[in-house]
Amino acid sequence: MDLTQLEMFNAVAETGSISAAAAKVHRVPSNLTTRIKQLEADLGVELFIRENQRLRLAPAGHSFLSYSKRILALVDEARMAVSGDEPQGTLPLGSLESTAAVRIPGLLAMFNQRFPKIQLSLATGPSGDQIDGVLDGRLSAAFVDGPILHPSLDGIAVYEEEMVIVAPADQDAITDANQVSGISIYAFRANCSYRRHFESWFHAHHSVPGKIHEMESYHGMLACVIAGAGIALMPRSMLESMPGSHQVSISPLPTDWRYLNTWLIWRRGAKTRQLEAFIGLLEQTS
């Protein structure tokens, strides 16, 4: 079974005549007759009831026609998605939670307005999850902490984030990890790049954090810090967007640790027209 056979079948079903269908699809009648018989042999059923020079759909033909039309419609949609004048189709994106909350809401709204035929979806989570999603094809692209050195990935740096330590309000300014050695920290799962950055800062100062409590959101981290239960690391832009940020002590990390770049990454050689449209808008607005 191939697309040409489906097109021929649809034409015969609509016209009820081999000669009329042949003219419609620009083929000779004998070719249509042969290809329709091959299709019936492949399916193991008769699709048409033959009456003199006319053909009308058999019960199996009626059932098959709906599927045939859907298949050809999907093929047309796929062609338009990759080669049409206006990009369309799906664009599954991934993002760090902080980037999704603070950096890209306006970009996403503008993208939806400018490219209404592209169905954009967004999933948030730690960098590790987003990188895995891009590598296994679940995501077309993702905003992650960079740089990314994986040989199968391409990307561009898009945002610079200032990383700050969030501590209870009565905590003095933190300039050295030994000041908070053994104190509980609140962070995302182990595959979170920000968590790894925080732990590396401790280790670089020959210090260790206390118990690491894994949280699902920055709002949960902030609530625990406000309650005096420990400290957390987060982008300043994220902290300042949340109610309660005035109830904590804020200490920027030292210069060598202070800034991290957020990258948009995609699988090398797999940049779709939808993704090209998104990157173009991102570059215009950055």
mmCIF file of all heavy atoms in Angstrom, residues 113-157:
data_model
loop_
_atom_site.group_PDB
_atom_site.id
_atom_site.type_symbol
_atom_site.label_atom_id
_atom_site.label_comp_id
_atom_site.label_asym_id
_atom_site.label_seq_id
_atom_site.Cartn_x
_atom_site.Cartn_y
_atom_site.Cartn_z
ATOM 1 N N GLN A 113 1.111 34.687 19.021
ATOM 2 C CA GLN A 113 0.406 35.675 18.199
ATOM 3 C C GLN A 113 0.957 35.704 16.771
ATOM 4 O O GLN A 113 0.210 35.825 15.807
ATOM 5 C CB GLN A 113 0.532 37.061 18.836
ATOM 6 C CG GLN A 113 -0.245 37.198 20.135
ATOM 7 C CD GLN A 113 0.017 38.531 20.816
ATOM 8 O OE1 GLN A 113 0.839 39.322 20.362
ATOM 9 N NE2 GLN A 113 -0.673 38.781 21.923
ATOM 10 N N ARG A 114 2.276 35.596 16.657
ATOM 11 C CA ARG A 114 2.903 35.717 15.346
ATOM 12 C C ARG A 114 2.799 34.433 14.523
ATOM 13 O O ARG A 114 2.737 34.475 13.299
ATOM 14 C CB ARG A 114 4.366 36.129 15.499
ATOM 15 C CG ARG A 114 5.039 36.475 14.173
ATOM 16 C CD ARG A 114 6.374 37.146 14.379
ATOM 17 N NE ARG A 114 6.256 38.415 15.097
ATOM 18 C CZ ARG A 114 7.296 39.226 15.325
ATOM 19 N NH1 ARG A 114 8.502 38.894 14.890
ATOM 20 N NH2 ARG A 114 7.118 40.352 15.981
ATOM 21 N N PHE A 115 2.788 33.278 15.194
ATOM 22 C CA PHE A 115 2.747 31.999 14.491
ATOM 23 C C PHE A 115 1.578 31.156 15.032
ATOM 24 O O PHE A 115 1.784 30.154 15.725
ATOM 25 C CB PHE A 115 4.070 31.239 14.662
ATOM 26 C CG PHE A 115 5.270 31.993 14.155
ATOM 27 C CD1 PHE A 115 6.097 32.669 15.044
ATOM 28 C CD2 PHE A 115 5.564 32.033 12.801
ATOM 29 C CE1 PHE A 115 7.205 33.369 14.581
ATOM 30 C CE2 PHE A 115 6.663 32.721 12.331
ATOM 31 C CZ PHE A 115 7.488 33.404 13.222
ATOM 32 N N PRO A 116 0.350 31.555 14.739
ATOM 33 C CA PRO A 116 -0.824 30.882 15.317
ATOM 34 C C PRO A 116 -0.990 29.435 14.865
ATOM 35 O O PRO A 116 -1.705 28.672 15.516
ATOM 36 C CB PRO A 116 -1.992 31.757 14.847
ATOM 37 C CG PRO A 116 -1.491 32.423 13.605
ATOM 38 C CD PRO A 116 -0.039 32.674 13.850
ATOM 39 N N LYS A 117 -0.349 29.039 13.761
ATOM 40 C CA LYS A 117 -0.500 27.668 13.275
ATOM 41 C C LYS A 117 0.486 26.702 13.921
ATOM 42 O O LYS A 117 0.432 25.503 13.663
ATOM 43 C CB LYS A 117 -0.346 27.638 11.756
ATOM 44 C CG LYS A 117 -1.473 28.334 11.007
ATOM 45 C CD LYS A 117 -1.341 28.168 9.505
ATOM 46 C CE LYS A 117 -2.500 28.831 8.776
ATOM 47 N NZ LYS A 117 -2.385 28.679 7.302
ATOM 48 N N ILE A 118 1.409 27.223 14.719
ATOM 49 C CA ILE A 118 2.342 26.359 15.442
ATOM 50 C C ILE A 118 1.787 26.099 16.835
ATOM 51 O O ILE A 118 1.469 27.028 17.577
ATOM 52 C CB ILE A 118 3.738 26.996 15.543
ATOM 53 C CG1 ILE A 118 4.343 27.175 14.152
ATOM 54 C CG2 ILE A 118 4.662 26.129 16.401
ATOM 55 C CD1 ILE A 118 5.714 27.835 14.151
ATOM 56 N N GLN A 119 1.670 24.831 17.197
ATOM 57 C CA GLN A 119 1.155 24.446 18.504
ATOM 58 C C GLN A 119 2.335 24.298 19.466
ATOM 59 O O GLN A 119 3.025 23.281 19.470
ATOM 60 C CB GLN A 119 0.376 23.142 18.403
ATOM 61 C CG GLN A 119 -0.817 23.215 17.457
ATOM 62 C CD GLN A 119 -1.428 21.858 17.202
ATOM 63 O OE1 GLN A 119 -1.349 20.957 18.035
ATOM 64 N NE2 GLN A 119 -2.030 21.687 16.036
ATOM 65 N N LEU A 120 2.567 25.331 20.265
ATOM 66 C CA LEU A 120 3.699 25.339 21.185
ATOM 67 C C LEU A 120 3.270 24.768 22.530
ATOM 68 O O LEU A 120 2.238 25.137 23.075
ATOM 69 C CB LEU A 120 4.216 26.767 21.350
ATOM 70 C CG LEU A 120 5.502 26.967 22.149
ATOM 71 C CD1 LEU A 120 6.263 28.181 21.619
ATOM 72 C CD2 LEU A 120 5.210 27.165 23.640
ATOM 73 N N SER A 121 4.086 23.872 23.065
ATOM 74 C CA SER A 121 3.842 23.340 24.405
ATOM 75 C C SER A 121 5.112 23.525 25.230
ATOM 76 O O SER A 121 6.214 23.592 24.687
ATOM 77 C CB SER A 121 3.462 21.852 24.349
ATOM 78 O OG SER A 121 4.503 21.076 23.767
ATOM 79 N N LEU A 122 4.958 23.616 26.551
ATOM 80 C CA LEU A 122 6.094 23.898 27.428
ATOM 81 C C LEU A 122 6.092 22.946 28.611
ATOM 82 O O LEU A 122 5.074 22.767 29.282
ATOM 83 C CB LEU A 122 6.029 25.344 27.929
ATOM 84 C CG LEU A 122 7.181 25.803 28.815
ATOM 85 C CD1 LEU A 122 8.478 25.871 28.016
ATOM 86 C CD2 LEU A 122 6.876 27.157 29.449
ATOM 87 N N ALA A 123 7.257 22.334 28.869
ATOM 88 C CA ALA A 123 7.451 21.479 30.038
ATOM 89 C C ALA A 123 8.603 22.050 30.851
ATOM 90 O O ALA A 123 9.627 22.446 30.288
ATOM 91 C CB ALA A 123 7.769 20.048 29.608
ATOM 92 N N THR A 124 8.437 22.131 32.166
ATOM 93 C CA THR A 124 9.487 22.678 33.017
ATOM 94 C C THR A 124 10.107 21.588 33.875
ATOM 95 O O THR A 124 9.474 20.577 34.176
ATOM 96 C CB THR A 124 8.942 23.793 33.927
ATOM 97 O OG1 THR A 124 7.919 23.244 34.787
ATOM 98 C CG2 THR A 124 8.366 24.931 33.113
ATOM 99 N N GLY A 125 11.365 21.829 34.267
ATOM 100 C CA GLY A 125 12.067 20.869 35.103
ATOM 101 C C GLY A 125 13.542 21.180 35.152
ATOM 102 O O GLY A 125 14.011 22.132 34.516
ATOM 103 N N PRO A 126 14.316 20.383 35.885
ATOM 104 C CA PRO A 126 15.762 20.615 35.994
ATOM 105 C C PRO A 126 16.469 20.463 34.648
ATOM 106 O O PRO A 126 15.949 19.823 33.721
ATOM 107 C CB PRO A 126 16.217 19.518 36.970
ATOM 108 C CG PRO A 126 14.977 19.076 37.678
ATOM 109 C CD PRO A 126 13.868 19.253 36.699
ATOM 110 N N SER A 127 17.670 21.035 34.551
ATOM 111 C CA SER A 127 18.433 20.970 33.311
ATOM 112 C C SER A 127 18.623 19.541 32.827
ATOM 113 O O SER A 127 18.520 19.250 31.633
ATOM 114 C CB SER A 127 19.801 21.638 33.489
ATOM 115 O OG SER A 127 19.705 23.037 33.425
ATOM 116 N N GLY A 128 18.909 18.630 33.741
ATOM 117 C CA GLY A 128 19.140 17.244 33.346
ATOM 118 C C GLY A 128 17.959 16.635 32.623
ATOM 119 O O GLY A 128 18.124 15.953 31.605
ATOM 120 N N ASP A 129 16.756 16.893 33.133
ATOM 121 C CA ASP A 129 15.549 16.375 32.484
ATOM 122 C C ASP A 129 15.362 16.992 31.099
ATOM 123 O O ASP A 129 14.961 16.315 30.151
ATOM 124 C CB ASP A 129 14.310 16.674 33.338
ATOM 125 C CG ASP A 129 14.250 15.832 34.596
ATOM 126 O OD1 ASP A 129 15.079 14.907 34.736
ATOM 127 O OD2 ASP A 129 13.386 16.104 35.452
ATOM 128 N N GLN A 130 15.645 18.293 30.990
ATOM 129 C CA GLN A 130 15.451 18.980 29.711
ATOM 130 C C GLN A 130 16.459 18.490 28.665
ATOM 131 O O GLN A 130 16.104 18.294 27.494
ATOM 132 C CB GLN A 130 15.580 20.492 29.898
ATOM 133 C CG GLN A 130 14.687 21.083 30.975
ATOM 134 C CD GLN A 130 13.221 20.707 30.800
ATOM 135 O OE1 GLN A 130 12.696 20.691 29.689
ATOM 136 N NE2 GLN A 130 12.547 20.375 31.888
ATOM 137 N N ILE A 131 17.685 18.288 29.072
ATOM 138 C CA ILE A 131 18.703 17.780 28.140
ATOM 139 C C ILE A 131 18.327 16.385 27.660
ATOM 140 O O ILE A 131 18.408 16.080 26.462
ATOM 141 C CB ILE A 131 20.081 17.774 28.814
ATOM 142 C CG1 ILE A 131 20.550 19.218 29.057
ATOM 143 C CG2 ILE A 131 21.105 17.036 27.954
ATOM 144 C CD1 ILE A 131 21.794 19.327 29.916
ATOM 145 N N ASP A 132 17.872 15.541 28.567
ATOM 146 C CA ASP A 132 17.439 14.186 28.178
ATOM 147 C C ASP A 132 16.273 14.266 27.197
ATOM 148 O O ASP A 132 16.202 13.491 26.240
ATOM 149 C CB ASP A 132 17.019 13.380 29.416
ATOM 150 C CG ASP A 132 18.206 12.987 30.294
ATOM 151 O OD1 ASP A 132 19.354 13.054 29.795
ATOM 152 O OD2 ASP A 132 17.982 12.623 31.462
ATOM 153 N N GLY A 133 15.356 15.197 27.432
ATOM 154 C CA GLY A 133 14.205 15.333 26.544
ATOM 155 C C GLY A 133 14.601 15.735 25.142
ATOM 156 O O GLY A 133 14.025 15.255 24.158
ATOM 157 N N VAL A 134 15.592 16.618 25.016
ATOM 158 C CA VAL A 134 16.067 17.016 23.693
ATOM 159 C C VAL A 134 16.796 15.858 23.017
ATOM 160 O O VAL A 134 16.598 15.579 21.827
ATOM 161 C CB VAL A 134 16.991 18.252 23.798
ATOM 162 C CG1 VAL A 134 17.639 18.554 22.444
ATOM 163 C CG2 VAL A 134 16.196 19.464 24.280
ATOM 164 N N LEU A 135 17.624 15.150 23.766
ATOM 165 C CA LEU A 135 18.401 14.056 23.182
ATOM 166 C C LEU A 135 17.523 12.903 22.708
ATOM 167 O O LEU A 135 17.809 12.278 21.678
ATOM 168 C CB LEU A 135 19.424 13.538 24.199
ATOM 169 C CG LEU A 135 20.615 14.464 24.472
ATOM 170 C CD1 LEU A 135 21.438 13.934 25.638
ATOM 171 C CD2 LEU A 135 21.484 14.600 23.229
ATOM 172 N N ASP A 136 16.437 12.608 23.447
ATOM 173 C CA ASP A 136 15.597 11.478 23.035
ATOM 174 C C ASP A 136 14.439 11.888 22.124
ATOM 175 O O ASP A 136 13.610 11.062 21.759
ATOM 176 C CB ASP A 136 15.081 10.690 24.241
ATOM 177 C CG ASP A 136 14.129 11.471 25.135
ATOM 178 O OD1 ASP A 136 13.479 12.423 24.660
ATOM 179 O OD2 ASP A 136 14.023 11.124 26.331
ATOM 180 N N GLY A 137 14.386 13.176 21.761
ATOM 181 C CA GLY A 137 13.406 13.614 20.771
ATOM 182 C C GLY A 137 12.068 14.038 21.317
ATOM 183 O O GLY A 137 11.191 14.429 20.547
ATOM 184 N N ARG A 138 11.875 14.010 22.637
ATOM 185 C CA ARG A 138 10.598 14.454 23.194
ATOM 186 C C ARG A 138 10.443 15.969 23.121
ATOM 187 O O ARG A 138 9.339 16.483 23.072
ATOM 188 C CB ARG A 138 10.473 14.001 24.651
ATOM 189 C CG ARG A 138 10.244 12.519 24.835
ATOM 190 C CD ARG A 138 10.088 12.146 26.296
ATOM 191 N NE ARG A 138 11.341 12.255 27.025
ATOM 192 C CZ ARG A 138 11.619 13.179 27.936
ATOM 193 N NH1 ARG A 138 10.711 14.102 28.228
ATOM 194 N NH2 ARG A 138 12.781 13.190 28.561
ATOM 195 N N LEU A 139 11.556 16.680 23.128
ATOM 196 C CA LEU A 139 11.552 18.135 23.065
ATOM 197 C C LEU A 139 12.325 18.595 21.838
ATOM 198 O O LEU A 139 13.386 18.053 21.523
ATOM 199 C CB LEU A 139 12.202 18.731 24.325
ATOM 200 C CG LEU A 139 11.542 18.413 25.667
ATOM 201 C CD1 LEU A 139 12.406 18.928 26.814
ATOM 202 C CD2 LEU A 139 10.137 18.998 25.746
ATOM 203 N N SER A 140 11.810 19.616 21.166
ATOM 204 C CA SER A 140 12.536 20.191 20.035
ATOM 205 C C SER A 140 13.701 21.042 20.513
ATOM 206 O O SER A 140 14.741 21.126 19.836
ATOM 207 C CB SER A 140 11.596 21.054 19.187
ATOM 208 O OG SER A 140 10.615 20.264 18.553
ATOM 209 N N ALA A 141 13.535 21.699 21.655
ATOM 210 C CA ALA A 141 14.571 22.564 22.213
ATOM 211 C C ALA A 141 14.258 22.775 23.684
ATOM 212 O O ALA A 141 13.155 22.478 24.151
ATOM 213 C CB ALA A 141 14.627 23.900 21.477
ATOM 214 N N ALA A 142 15.245 23.305 24.426
ATOM 215 C CA ALA A 142 15.022 23.542 25.852
ATOM 216 C C ALA A 142 15.952 24.641 26.348
ATOM 217 O O ALA A 142 17.082 24.794 25.866
ATOM 218 C CB ALA A 142 15.251 22.260 26.656
ATOM 219 N N PHE A 143 15.452 25.407 27.323
ATOM 220 C CA PHE A 143 16.265 26.389 28.033
ATOM 221 C C PHE A 143 16.907 25.699 29.239
ATOM 222 O O PHE A 143 16.200 25.181 30.117
ATOM 223 C CB PHE A 143 15.398 27.551 28.522
ATOM 224 C CG PHE A 143 14.873 28.428 27.423
ATOM 225 C CD1 PHE A 143 13.598 28.221 26.899
ATOM 226 C CD2 PHE A 143 15.645 29.457 26.907
ATOM 227 C CE1 PHE A 143 13.104 29.037 25.893
ATOM 228 C CE2 PHE A 143 15.156 30.280 25.896
ATOM 229 C CZ PHE A 143 13.889 30.065 25.378
ATOM 230 N N VAL A 144 18.248 25.676 29.269
ATOM 231 C CA VAL A 144 18.967 24.986 30.338
ATOM 232 C C VAL A 144 20.142 25.848 30.789
ATOM 233 O O VAL A 144 20.537 26.801 30.117
ATOM 234 C CB VAL A 144 19.482 23.607 29.880
ATOM 235 C CG1 VAL A 144 18.325 22.713 29.436
ATOM 236 C CG2 VAL A 144 20.515 23.745 28.757
ATOM 237 N N ASP A 145 20.728 25.466 31.916
ATOM 238 C CA ASP A 145 21.948 26.117 32.362
ATOM 239 C C ASP A 145 23.105 25.625 31.495
ATOM 240 O O ASP A 145 23.252 24.425 31.265
ATOM 241 C CB ASP A 145 22.187 25.781 33.834
ATOM 242 C CG ASP A 145 23.511 26.309 34.329
ATOM 243 O OD1 ASP A 145 23.846 27.456 33.987
ATOM 244 O OD2 ASP A 145 24.219 25.572 35.037
ATOM 245 N N GLY A 146 23.914 26.545 30.970
ATOM 246 C CA GLY A 146 24.996 26.173 30.068
ATOM 247 C C GLY A 146 26.349 26.595 30.601
ATOM 248 O O GLY A 146 26.464 27.065 31.728
ATOM 249 N N PRO A 147 27.398 26.424 29.804
ATOM 250 C CA PRO A 147 27.363 25.968 28.402
ATOM 251 C C PRO A 147 27.132 24.466 28.296
ATOM 252 O O PRO A 147 27.346 23.722 29.256
ATOM 253 C CB PRO A 147 28.754 26.349 27.883
ATOM 254 C CG PRO A 147 29.621 26.261 29.094
ATOM 255 C CD PRO A 147 28.773 26.751 30.234
ATOM 256 N N ILE A 148 26.714 24.019 27.107
ATOM 257 C CA ILE A 148 26.449 22.611 26.846
ATOM 258 C C ILE A 148 27.551 22.072 25.937
ATOM 259 O O ILE A 148 27.781 22.592 24.848
ATOM 260 C CB ILE A 148 25.065 22.429 26.184
ATOM 261 C CG1 ILE A 148 23.983 22.971 27.111
ATOM 262 C CG2 ILE A 148 24.813 20.975 25.862
ATOM 263 C CD1 ILE A 148 23.917 22.284 28.466
ATOM 264 N N LEU A 149 28.215 21.035 26.384
ATOM 265 C CA LEU A 149 29.351 20.491 25.645
ATOM 266 C C LEU A 149 29.055 19.141 25.009
ATOM 267 O O LEU A 149 29.947 18.509 24.455
ATOM 268 C CB LEU A 149 30.563 20.358 26.587
ATOM 269 C CG LEU A 149 30.980 21.657 27.304
ATOM 270 C CD1 LEU A 149 32.141 21.398 28.255
ATOM 271 C CD2 LEU A 149 31.345 22.729 26.297
ATOM 272 N N HIS A 150 27.803 18.687 25.079
ATOM 273 C CA HIS A 150 27.451 17.382 24.520
ATOM 274 C C HIS A 150 27.635 17.404 23.004
ATOM 275 O O HIS A 150 27.183 18.343 22.329
ATOM 276 C CB HIS A 150 26.003 17.034 24.870
ATOM 277 C CG HIS A 150 25.651 15.599 24.653
ATOM 278 N ND1 HIS A 150 25.488 15.060 23.397
ATOM 279 C CD2 HIS A 150 25.436 14.585 25.537
ATOM 280 C CE1 HIS A 150 25.176 13.787 23.512
ATOM 281 N NE2 HIS A 150 25.138 13.474 24.796
ATOM 282 N N PRO A 151 28.279 16.397 22.407
ATOM 283 C CA PRO A 151 28.554 16.426 20.960
ATOM 284 C C PRO A 151 27.319 16.361 20.077
ATOM 285 O O PRO A 151 27.402 16.704 18.897
ATOM 286 C CB PRO A 151 29.438 15.181 20.756
ATOM 287 C CG PRO A 151 29.119 14.282 21.911
ATOM 288 C CD PRO A 151 28.849 15.204 23.063
ATOM 289 N N SER A 152 26.186 15.946 20.624
ATOM 290 C CA SER A 152 24.966 15.843 19.812
ATOM 291 C C SER A 152 24.077 17.067 19.919
ATOM 292 O O SER A 152 22.991 17.090 19.345
ATOM 293 C CB SER A 152 24.164 14.599 20.225
ATOM 294 O OG SER A 152 24.892 13.411 19.981
ATOM 295 N N LEU A 153 24.529 18.101 20.650
ATOM 296 C CA LEU A 153 23.685 19.261 20.887
ATOM 297 C C LEU A 153 24.312 20.546 20.348
ATOM 298 O O LEU A 153 25.533 20.720 20.375
ATOM 299 C CB LEU A 153 23.420 19.436 22.384
ATOM 300 C CG LEU A 153 22.647 18.310 23.087
ATOM 301 C CD1 LEU A 153 22.591 18.568 24.580
ATOM 302 C CD2 LEU A 153 21.244 18.172 22.508
ATOM 303 N N ASP A 154 23.457 21.425 19.851
ATOM 304 C CA ASP A 154 23.826 22.792 19.495
ATOM 305 C C ASP A 154 23.047 23.741 20.395
ATOM 306 O O ASP A 154 22.032 23.349 20.997
ATOM 307 C CB ASP A 154 23.481 23.102 18.035
ATOM 308 C CG ASP A 154 24.549 22.612 17.071
ATOM 309 O OD1 ASP A 154 25.722 22.518 17.491
ATOM 310 O OD2 ASP A 154 24.215 22.320 15.918
ATOM 311 N N GLY A 155 23.477 24.999 20.462
ATOM 312 C CA GLY A 155 22.728 25.937 21.280
ATOM 313 C C GLY A 155 23.301 27.335 21.223
ATOM 314 O O GLY A 155 24.353 27.578 20.625
ATOM 315 N N ILE A 156 22.587 28.252 21.855
ATOM 316 C CA ILE A 156 23.020 29.644 21.956
ATOM 317 C C ILE A 156 22.760 30.141 23.378
ATOM 318 O O ILE A 156 21.784 29.755 24.023
ATOM 319 C CB ILE A 156 22.274 30.559 20.948
ATOM 320 C CG1 ILE A 156 20.749 30.388 21.071
ATOM 321 C CG2 ILE A 156 22.738 30.292 19.528
ATOM 322 C CD1 ILE A 156 19.958 31.368 20.213
ATOM 323 N N ALA A 157 23.665 30.987 23.869
ATOM 324 C CA ALA A 157 23.458 31.621 25.174
ATOM 325 C C ALA A 157 22.446 32.745 25.018
ATOM 326 O O ALA A 157 22.549 33.563 24.097
ATOM 327 C CB ALA A 157 24.780 32.156 25.710
#
